[in-house]
Amino acid sequence: MIRFLFRLAATVALAVAVIMAVLDATRTVAASALVLTPLKTSWNAVSPDTLAASETFVRDRIGPLAWDTVIDWILDRPGFAVFAALALVLYMIGYRRRRKAARFAA
């Protein structure tokens, strides 16, 4: 059941990555130059209140160093790359290995 939830979350993250990649590709074609939208810009366009709330939460609970170094660095990366990496990690967690003995069973 838990593996299913990880694989479902990986599928959702991959869908978001594809949507963000298509948006960046469309903007790239329209501008005739490479356009990579940072995750922070996309998040701020969709819901600026949750971005500010998460920044406040992380700064209060974990510390400002965590936001300034790690999370801000991640938010400056292209959104499709962040969600694609997240999908890969979630899929690897939820991956079910096949038993070697089961391959040869009749």
Side-chain angles (χ1 to χ4, degrees), residues 40 55 58-59 63-74 76:
K40 184 184 280 186
E55 181 177 358
V58 169
R59 286 185 183 275
L65 185 63
W67 182 267
D68 293 335
T69 57
V70 177
I71 297 176
D72 200 33
W73 182 82
I74 292 171
D76 285 338

Side-chain angles (χ1 to χ4, degrees), residues 2-3 6-7 86-96:
I2 297 296
R3 288 182 183 185
F6 278 113
R7 287 186 299 216
L86 178 65
L88 178 65
V89 169
L90 290 172
Y91 181 76
M92 286 172 36
I93 292 171
Y95 180 73
R96 180 181 302 188

Side-chain angles (χ1 to χ4, degrees), residues 10 12-25 34-40 42 73-90:
V12 170
L14 184 61
V16 171
V18 169
I19 290 169
M20 295 180 91
V22 168
L23 288 173
D24 282 350
L34 183 62
V35 176
L36 299 174
T37 307
L39 182 59
K40 184 184 280 186
S42 299
W73 182 82
I74 292 171
L75 291 177
D76 285 338
R77 304 294 133 225
F80 74 90
V82 173
F83 276 101
L86 178 65
L88 178 65
V89 169
L90 290 172

